[in-house]
Protein backbone atom coordinates (compact mmCIF):
# COMPACT_ATOMS: atom_id res chain seq x y z
CA UNK A 1 0.00 0.00 0.00
CA UNK A 2 1.13 3.55 -0.71
CA UNK A 3 2.75 5.55 2.06
CA UNK A 4 1.15 8.76 3.32
CA UNK A 5 2.68 11.94 4.71
CA UNK A 6 0.82 14.19 7.16
CA UNK A 7 1.93 17.18 9.22
CA UNK A 8 2.59 16.09 12.81
CA UNK A 9 0.33 18.69 14.36
CA UNK A 10 -2.19 21.45 13.66
CA UNK A 11 -4.10 24.00 15.68
CA UNK A 12 -7.60 25.03 14.67
CA UNK A 13 -10.00 27.63 15.96
CA UNK A 14 -13.34 26.45 17.29
CA UNK A 15 -16.14 27.12 14.82
CA UNK A 16 -13.83 27.47 11.86
CA UNK A 17 -13.18 24.94 9.12
CA UNK A 18 -10.22 22.63 9.70
CA UNK A 19 -8.34 21.53 6.59
CA UNK A 20 -6.11 18.50 7.12
CA UNK A 21 -3.68 17.71 4.29
CA UNK A 22 -2.31 14.32 3.28
CA UNK A 23 0.23 13.47 0.61
CA UNK A 24 0.14 10.07 -1.07
CA UNK A 25 2.24 10.62 -4.18
CA UNK A 26 2.81 6.88 -4.82
CA UNK A 27 -0.86 5.95 -4.75
CA UNK A 28 -1.94 3.48 -7.40
CA UNK A 29 -5.18 3.21 -9.30
CA UNK A 30 -6.89 0.65 -7.09
CA UNK A 31 -6.03 2.29 -3.76
CA UNK A 32 -8.57 4.12 -1.65
CA UNK A 33 -7.90 6.98 0.76
CA UNK A 34 -9.35 6.45 4.25
CA UNK A 35 -9.50 8.88 7.13
CA UNK A 36 -9.83 7.86 10.75
CA UNK A 37 -9.42 9.75 13.97
CA UNK A 38 -8.53 8.67 17.47
CA UNK A 39 -9.64 10.64 20.45
CA UNK A 40 -7.48 10.11 23.50
CA UNK A 41 -7.83 6.65 25.09
CA UNK A 42 -10.46 5.49 22.60
CA UNK A 43 -10.43 3.27 19.52
CA UNK A 44 -10.14 4.90 16.09
CA UNK A 45 -13.30 6.28 14.54
CA UNK A 46 -13.97 5.96 10.83
CA UNK A 47 -14.58 9.33 9.17
CA UNK A 48 -14.70 8.98 5.40
CA UNK A 49 -13.06 7.34 2.42
CA UNK A 50 -12.83 7.86 -1.32
CA UNK A 51 -11.19 6.71 -4.53
CA UNK A 52 -11.07 9.70 -6.88
CA UNK A 53 -14.26 11.70 -6.49
CA UNK A 54 -14.79 14.16 -3.67
CA UNK A 55 -16.90 12.73 -0.88
CA UNK A 56 -19.02 14.29 1.86
CA UNK A 57 -20.85 12.83 4.82
CA UNK A 58 -22.25 14.14 8.09
CA UNK A 59 -18.79 14.33 9.64
CA UNK A 60 -16.51 15.72 6.97
CA UNK A 61 -15.63 16.27 3.33
CA UNK A 62 -12.80 14.60 1.46
CA UNK A 63 -11.21 16.43 -1.42
CA UNK A 64 -8.90 14.35 -3.62
CA UNK A 65 -6.75 16.07 -6.23
CA UNK A 66 -7.22 15.12 -9.84
CA UNK A 67 -3.87 13.30 -9.98
CA UNK A 68 -4.81 11.60 -6.66
CA UNK A 69 -1.41 12.37 -5.17
CA UNK A 70 -2.85 14.30 -2.28
CA UNK A 71 -6.08 14.84 -0.43
CA UNK A 72 -7.60 17.14 2.19
CA UNK A 73 -10.00 16.27 4.95
CA UNK A 74 -12.27 19.16 5.81
CA UNK A 75 -14.08 19.45 9.13
CA UNK A 76 -16.55 22.23 8.29
CA UNK A 77 -17.08 23.66 11.78
CA UNK A 78 -14.49 22.38 14.23
CA UNK A 79 -15.53 21.88 17.83
CA UNK A 80 -13.48 21.13 20.92
CA UNK A 81 -14.61 17.50 20.62
CA UNK A 82 -12.82 17.24 17.29
CA UNK A 83 -9.47 17.37 19.10
CA UNK A 84 -7.85 14.05 18.15
CA UNK A 85 -5.15 12.35 16.13
CA UNK A 86 -6.25 12.11 12.50
CA UNK A 87 -4.93 9.32 10.31
CA UNK A 88 -4.85 9.33 6.52
CA UNK A 89 -4.43 5.77 5.21
CA UNK A 90 -4.18 4.44 1.69
CA UNK A 91 -5.38 0.91 1.19
CA UNK A 92 -5.65 -1.28 -1.85
CA UNK A 93 -9.04 -2.68 -2.73
CA UNK A 94 -7.90 -6.19 -2.04
CA UNK A 95 -9.12 -9.09 -0.02
CA UNK A 96 -6.98 -8.58 3.04
CA UNK A 97 -8.61 -5.41 4.35
CA UNK A 98 -5.48 -4.38 6.27
CA UNK A 99 -4.90 -0.82 7.42
CA UNK A 100 -1.44 0.53 8.18
CA UNK A 101 -1.49 3.41 10.66
CA UNK A 102 1.22 6.05 10.52
CA UNK A 103 1.84 8.80 13.05
CA UNK A 104 -1.12 10.91 11.92
CA UNK A 105 -1.78 14.58 12.61
CA UNK A 106 -2.53 15.72 16.13
CA UNK A 107 -5.28 18.29 15.76
CA UNK A 108 -5.98 20.61 18.65
CA UNK A 109 -9.12 22.72 18.45
CA UNK A 110 -8.87 25.84 20.60
CA UNK A 111 -11.69 27.97 21.92
CA UNK B 1 -24.85 1.37 12.68
CA UNK B 2 -21.59 -0.62 12.51
CA UNK B 3 -20.97 -0.75 16.25
CA UNK B 4 -18.11 -2.80 17.67
CA UNK B 5 -18.07 -3.54 21.38
CA UNK B 6 -14.97 -4.57 23.27
CA UNK B 7 -14.85 -6.01 26.76
CA UNK B 8 -13.37 -5.44 29.26
CA UNK B 9 -12.34 -1.83 28.82
CA UNK B 10 -9.71 -2.03 31.52
CA UNK B 11 -8.03 -4.94 33.27
CA UNK B 12 -5.27 -5.15 35.84
CA UNK B 13 -3.82 -8.52 36.73
CA UNK B 14 -0.76 -10.22 38.10
CA UNK B 15 2.15 -11.44 36.03
CA UNK B 16 1.62 -14.98 34.76
CA UNK B 17 -2.14 -14.62 34.44
CA UNK B 18 -3.96 -15.24 31.17
CA UNK B 19 -6.38 -12.53 30.07
CA UNK B 20 -9.20 -12.83 27.56
CA UNK B 21 -10.53 -9.85 25.61
CA UNK B 22 -13.79 -10.03 23.67
CA UNK B 23 -14.68 -8.15 20.52
CA UNK B 24 -18.27 -8.17 19.29
CA UNK B 25 -19.93 -6.68 16.25
CA UNK B 26 -23.33 -5.63 17.58
CA UNK B 27 -25.35 -4.78 14.49
CA UNK B 28 -23.58 -6.48 11.61
CA UNK B 29 -21.88 -9.72 10.69
CA UNK B 30 -18.12 -9.50 10.61
CA UNK B 31 -16.32 -12.22 8.72
CA UNK B 32 -13.01 -10.47 9.29
CA UNK B 33 -11.78 -8.94 12.52
CA UNK B 34 -8.43 -7.41 13.36
CA UNK B 35 -6.45 -7.04 16.56
CA UNK B 36 -4.12 -4.09 17.14
CA UNK B 37 -1.81 -3.05 19.95
CA UNK B 38 -0.90 0.50 20.84
CA UNK B 39 1.85 1.55 23.22
CA UNK B 40 1.85 5.02 24.82
CA UNK B 41 2.53 7.86 22.36
CA UNK B 42 2.75 5.40 19.47
CA UNK B 43 0.46 4.50 16.61
CA UNK B 44 -1.58 1.35 16.22
CA UNK B 45 0.28 -1.79 15.22
CA UNK B 46 -1.61 -4.64 13.59
CA UNK B 47 -1.12 -7.91 15.44
CA UNK B 48 -3.32 -10.33 13.54
CA UNK B 49 -6.20 -10.81 11.14
CA UNK B 50 -9.01 -13.10 12.19
CA UNK B 51 -11.41 -14.72 9.77
CA UNK B 52 -14.52 -16.48 11.00
CA UNK B 53 -14.08 -20.22 11.16
CA UNK B 54 -10.40 -20.27 10.29
CA UNK B 55 -7.04 -19.75 11.92
CA UNK B 56 -5.83 -16.22 12.49
CA UNK B 57 -3.01 -14.76 10.44
CA UNK B 58 -0.35 -13.12 12.59
CA UNK B 59 1.93 -10.25 11.63
CA UNK B 60 5.65 -10.77 11.66
CA UNK B 61 7.05 -10.70 15.17
CA UNK B 62 3.77 -11.47 16.94
CA UNK B 63 3.87 -14.72 18.89
CA UNK B 64 0.83 -16.79 18.00
CA UNK B 65 1.22 -19.03 21.05
CA UNK B 66 1.16 -16.02 23.33
CA UNK B 67 -1.70 -14.16 21.68
CA UNK B 68 -4.41 -16.72 21.03
CA UNK B 69 -7.19 -15.58 18.73
CA UNK B 70 -10.52 -17.29 18.25
CA UNK B 71 -13.18 -16.16 15.80
CA UNK B 72 -15.87 -18.78 16.21
CA UNK B 73 -18.87 -16.77 15.07
CA UNK B 74 -19.71 -13.90 12.76
CA UNK B 75 -20.11 -11.53 15.70
CA UNK B 76 -17.41 -12.54 18.17
CA UNK B 77 -13.64 -12.72 18.21
CA UNK B 78 -11.51 -13.19 21.31
CA UNK B 79 -7.88 -12.43 22.06
CA UNK B 80 -6.27 -14.29 24.94
CA UNK B 81 -2.95 -13.02 26.24
CA UNK B 82 -1.42 -16.10 27.81
CA UNK B 83 0.95 -15.91 30.76
CA UNK B 84 0.98 -12.15 30.57
CA UNK B 85 4.02 -10.19 31.75
CA UNK B 86 4.55 -6.48 32.38
CA UNK B 87 5.89 -5.95 28.85
CA UNK B 88 2.50 -7.08 27.52
CA UNK B 89 0.87 -4.07 29.16
CA UNK B 90 -0.66 -2.06 26.35
CA UNK B 91 -3.86 -0.78 24.76
CA UNK B 92 -5.45 -3.56 22.71
CA UNK B 93 -7.98 -2.61 20.05
CA UNK B 94 -10.12 -4.73 17.76
CA UNK B 95 -11.86 -3.84 14.54
CA UNK B 96 -14.28 -5.51 12.16
CA UNK B 97 -15.38 -5.19 8.57
CA UNK B 98 -18.99 -5.25 7.46
CA UNK B 99 -18.80 -7.20 4.24
CA UNK B 100 -17.03 -10.37 3.29
CA UNK B 101 -15.35 -11.24 0.07
CA UNK B 102 -12.79 -9.76 -2.18
CA UNK B 103 -12.41 -6.27 -3.51
CA UNK B 104 -14.49 -4.60 -0.86
CA UNK B 105 -13.77 -0.99 0.03
CA UNK B 106 -15.83 -1.08 3.19
CA UNK B 107 -14.13 0.55 6.19
CA UNK B 108 -13.09 -1.13 9.40
CA UNK B 109 -15.02 -0.20 12.51
CA UNK B 110 -13.18 -0.19 15.80
CA UNK B 111 -13.95 -1.04 19.37
CA UNK B 112 -13.06 1.32 22.19
CA UNK B 113 -10.06 -0.72 23.23
CA UNK B 114 -8.92 -2.62 26.31
CA UNK B 115 -6.25 -1.16 28.54
CA UNK B 116 -4.23 -4.06 29.95
CA UNK B 117 -1.92 -3.52 32.89
CA UNK B 118 0.21 -6.40 34.15
CA UNK B 119 1.72 -5.97 37.59
Amino acid sequence: DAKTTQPPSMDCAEGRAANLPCNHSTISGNEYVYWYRQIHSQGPQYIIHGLKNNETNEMASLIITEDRKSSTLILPHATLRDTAVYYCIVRARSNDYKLSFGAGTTVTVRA
Amino acid sequence: GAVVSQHPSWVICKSGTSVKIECRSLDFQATTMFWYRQFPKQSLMLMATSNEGSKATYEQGVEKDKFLINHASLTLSTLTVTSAHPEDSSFYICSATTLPGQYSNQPQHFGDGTRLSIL
Side-chain angles (χ1 to χ4, degrees), chain A residues 76-90:
Chain A
H77 304 286
T79 70
L80 299 179
R81 287 180 293 182
D82 291 323
T83 293
V85 179
Y86 286 75
Y87 298 98
C88 169
I89 302 170
V90 171

Side-chain angles (χ1 to χ4, degrees), chain B residues 11-63:
Chain B
V11 58
I12 302 173
C13 57
K14 294 181 180 180
S15 185
T17 306
S18 291
V19 179
K20 179 184 283 189
I21 302 169
E22 291 188 351
C23 179
R24 294 181 184 272
S25 56
L26 298 186
D27 52 0
F28 64 97
Q29 293 186 329
T31 58
T32 305
M33 290 185 170
F34 300 86
W35 289 95
Y36 296 81
R37 181 167 53 181
Q38 186 176 31
F39 292 107
K41 299 190 185 301
Q42 294 186 21
S43 192
L44 282 77
M45 294 296 296
L46 179 65
M47 299 176 66
T49 302
S50 167
N51 290 296
E52 185 264 338
S54 61
K55 290 184 178 180
T57 302
Y58 291 82
E59 296 299 301
Q60 190 172 8
V62 178
E63 300 176 58

Side-chain angles (χ1 to χ4, degrees), chain A residues 29-103:
Chain A
N30 68 343
E31 291 180 317
Y32 281 75
V33 180
Y34 291 81
W35 282 85
Y36 287 81
R37 71 180 183 185
Q38 186 177 25
I39 296 169
H40 183 63
S41 295
Q42 296 182 20
Q45 178 187 21
Y46 165 74
I47 301 173
I48 200 168
H49 74 283
L51 182 63
K52 55 183 178 180
N53 297 324
N54 297 337
E55 303 286 346
T56 295
N57 62 21
E58 65 278 5
M59 290 183 67
S61 295
L62 174 61
I63 309 298
I64 302 174
T65 58
E66 193 169 342
D67 62 8
R68 304 209 320 121
K69 293 185 177 182
S70 65
S71 60
T72 300
L73 179 74
I74 301 173
L75 307 177
H77 304 286
T79 70
L80 299 179
R81 287 180 293 182
D82 291 323
T83 293
V85 179
Y86 286 75
Y87 298 98
C88 169
I89 302 170
V90 171
R91 198 206 82 190
R93 193 176 69 166
S94 66
N95 63 349
D96 67 6
Y97 301 101
K98 291 183 181 181
L99 294 176
S100 179
F101 284 80

Side-chain angles (χ1 to χ4, degrees), chain B residues 83-100:
Chain B
S83 186
H85 290 96
E87 59 266 28
D88 298 321
S89 298
S90 188
F91 190 48
Y92 291 86
I93 310 167
C94 72
S95 72
T97 53
T98 57
L99 292 176

